[in-house]
Amino acid sequence: SSSCFWPCLFVLRVMVSLGDASRNVKVAVLILASLQIGLTAGIVMGWPAFQRLLIDNNVYSNLCPEGQVPCNAQVLKMNYIYDAGIFANTGSPVLTGVILDRFGPKK
């Protein structure tokens, strides 16, 4: 899917850059990168449907005035969750890059 294009390209570039690293290191990097994609891509790409599900199940409905669901406070609180997902999805490759620069293969 298109939601996997950039993260998958990043994983492929990391695998190629590992070159002579042991097979176990390559497998570990592949597993960790796939885990990162799986944990963050779903909340970002599927957020509108997930938010509707949360509202239907009265998540944060205690922030709304009586009988007024959804309300701005509820939606705003849910948008904080979305912001955290976006930050994790786009910010974690920066952390991964720093780790690979520090502990990656030495030439």
Side-chain angles (χ1 to χ4, degrees):
S1 81
S2 63
S3 66
C4 183
F5 178 75
W6 290 112
C8 292
L9 182 64
F10 174 74
V11 170
L12 181 62
R13 290 188 66 204
V14 168
M15 297 301 287
V16 169
S17 71
L18 288 175
D20 296 333
S22 73
R23 183 176 189 277
N24 291 340
V25 170
K26 289 181 180 181
V27 169
V29 168
L30 180 64
I31 289 170
L32 290 174
S34 298
L35 183 65
Q36 182 265 326
I37 293 167
L39 290 175
T40 59
I43 196 167
V44 172
M45 300 307 165
W47 182 253
F50 189 58
Q51 185 176 15
R52 184 76 241 158
L53 180 69
L54 292 173
I55 289 171
D56 290 346
N57 285 295
N58 297 319
V59 175
Y60 295 127
S61 62
N62 60 320
L63 300 173
C64 297
E66 195 67 34
Q68 207 178 13
V69 175
C71 66
N72 287 337
Q74 181 185 28
V75 173
L76 184 63
K77 192 79 163 181
M78 289 183 196
N79 284 341
Y80 290 142
I81 298 170
Y82 178 75
D83 290 343
I86 286 286
F87 178 77
N89 194 29
T90 58
S92 59
V94 173
L95 180 61
T96 303
V98 169
I99 290 171
L100 286 174
D101 286 345
R102 177 76 172 106
F103 301 107
K106 307 292 185 223
K107 293 188 180 191

